[in-house]
Amino acid sequence: MDLLFLGTSSGVPTKGRNVSATAVIEASGKAWYLVDCGEGTQHQLLHTPLSMRDLRAIFITHVHGDHCFGLPGLLASAGMSGRSEPLDLILPLDLHDWVRQSLAVSQTFLPFELRLHALETLEGWSSAHIHVSTIELSHRVPSYGYVFAEVNPDPRLDLERLQADGIPRGPLWGDLAQGRDVTVEGRLINARNYLRPSRPGRRIIVCGDNDNPELLAEVAKGADVLVHEATFTLPVLESSRTNYGHSTAAAVAQFAEAAGVPNLVLTHFSARYQNNPQRSPSIDDVRQEAAARYSGQLILAADLRRYHLGRDALLAEVL
Ligand SMILES: [Zn+2]
């Protein structure tokens, strides 16, 4: 699985960072999922190899505009690019009418079926290769994280079972290996009964805004990657009167260290953190604060950077 960051700034865009959006890409390298859709997400996508036709579903973490104002434009463009497959959109119930109204009053008629699902009551969402579940977080408004778990990764034929069930060796095995059902002497053989995962499934958690990382304690057990906001550093938080429901790099790093998560990706940085390390405060302050408390693979997300979760279970940048 890969992660491609489309927007890594909190609240407002900067010249170097757009507002929130993260793509989760299947191990196959094609089908992908979008978590949050800040304004301008569709422009960011133009700089990536991702196609709107391969987008399987959109997941919105909470109602704030920097996480959803890009939806109407992105959906309209998906329509104009000729998408015909239905699209699942999981988002807070309060946003459903807004999406429908935005499309209706602008006379945007999508050539595909848009299926709206209420985030608050979602009991899990699945495609052939990914299962997505939710975890409730803490913010000024209800906010959630999404857990992406691979289903039956890199399936291989279960040879023992094939032989035990008397399925003759030959081209039929090839069909089953490709996931195609076959018929043997009038008997329908379901491919999925003969495919076994050849490695453990990966699990990636992509969070919405959250001021209490401890809420992730259960779901983080055994997870490969945690993508979490680090809007502030400790000194900045201490000098301001309120934290608006966000986390510091220190709090997230401490949590990830205690939970034993091997890969931590920080994102959603306050616009005050500058890319130039000579300026203050800079994004280097965020890195240093987290690195002092976390010994795993630490990544500070940047727009249009892509990371691959390899066989060694470590995230590595795809250049
Ligand atoms: Zn936000």
Side-chain angles (χ1 to χ4, degrees):
M1 285 163 100
D2 286 17
L3 285 164
L4 202 168
F5 294 91
L6 300 162
T8 59
S9 182
S10 76
V12 294
T14 68
K15 283 182 188 167
R17 297 180 187 271
N18 198 35
V19 281
S20 288
T22 303
V24 179
I25 307 162
E26 280 186 6
S28 69
K30 220 167 170 220
W32 64 285
Y33 308 85
L34 180 62
V35 180
D36 282 333
C37 187
E39 188 183 357
T41 296
Q42 63 164 323
H43 300 74
Q44 295 290 78
L45 282 168
L46 297 175
H47 301 286
T48 76
L50 298 174
S51 152
M52 284 305 300
R53 289 174 193 231
D54 298 323
L55 176 59
R56 294 289 182 268
I58 302 174
F59 301 87
I60 303 296
T61 59
H62 62 293
V63 296
H64 285 156
D66 57 319
H67 296 256
C68 67
F69 280 172
L71 277 173
L74 179 129
L75 293 170
S77 295
M80 281 188 262
S81 75
R83 183 189 174 103
S84 56
E85 290 288 298
L87 180 64
D88 284 330
L89 172 55
I90 294 90
L91 75 174
L93 196 54
D94 279 352
L95 291 175
H96 287 210
D97 275 351
W98 168 71
V99 169
R100 289 200 191 95
Q101 285 291 325
S102 300
L103 297 172
V105 298
S106 58
Q107 306 229 355
T108 304
F109 306 108
L110 301 178
F112 57 88
E113 183 192 351
L114 184 63
R115 300 170 178 158
L116 303 189
H117 304 266
L119 160 59
E120 296 87 347
T121 50
L122 189 78
E123 295 211 325
W125 182 94
S126 286
S127 68
H129 302 289
I130 296 280
H131 178 77
V132 183
S133 54
T134 56
I135 173 80
E136 199 171 347
L137 304 173
S138 164
H139 189 46
R140 283 173 291 147
V141 295
S143 178
Y144 290 77
Y146 290 100
V147 184
F148 289 80
E150 283 182 315
V151 176
N152 206 2
D154 292 348
R156 300 276 183 274
L157 279 179
D158 183 342
L159 301 183
E160 279 178 24
R161 183 159 183 196
L162 284 169
Q163 275 155 350
D165 290 357
I167 298 166
R169 187 184 291 269
L172 287 181
W173 285 23
D175 284 340
L176 291 170
Q178 298 297 316
R180 288 191 291 271
D181 299 341
V182 300
T183 307
V184 177
E185 293 161 3
R187 182 162 60 114
L188 178 70
I189 307 294
N190 222 314
R192 72 167 185 274
N193 293 335
Y194 295 89
L195 291 169
R196 296 281 169 270
S198 62
R199 61 174 172 83
R202 305 264 187 245
R203 215 143 54 82
I204 295 180
I205 309 171
V206 184
C207 295
D209 294 2
N210 179 33
D211 61 14
N212 184 4
E214 292 298 328
L215 293 172
L216 295 155
E218 271 308 305
V219 81
K221 282 181 190 158
D224 295 279
V225 181
L226 174 63
V227 180
H228 198 287
E229 62 132 310
T231 307
F232 301 120
T233 47
L234 281 171
V236 166
L237 181 62
E238 279 156 10
S239 66
S240 61
R241 288 205 191 109
T242 169
N243 81 347
Y244 300 105
H246 292 296
S247 286
T248 58
V252 181
Q254 239 154 29
F255 166 77
E257 179 71 15
V261 179
N263 299 280
L264 173 62
V265 185
L266 300 179
T267 182
H268 195 270
F269 307 113
S270 162
R272 59 167 63 74
Y273 295 103
Q274 309 189 46
N275 274 335
N276 181 350
Q278 310 302 326
R279 300 275 185 85
S280 179
S282 88
I283 199 73
D284 259 20
D285 302 342
V286 181
R287 180 184 298 282
Q288 282 170 24
E289 186 174 296
R293 294 163 174 85
Y294 176 70
S295 59
Q297 169 93 329
L298 173 67
I299 288 167
L300 267 63
D303 285 29
L304 304 178
R305 297 264 171 86
R306 179 173 182 159
Y307 296 91
H308 176 65
L309 187 57
R311 288 194 169 267
D312 59 0
L314 284 182
L315 270 181
E317 187 167 358
V318 179
L319 296 171

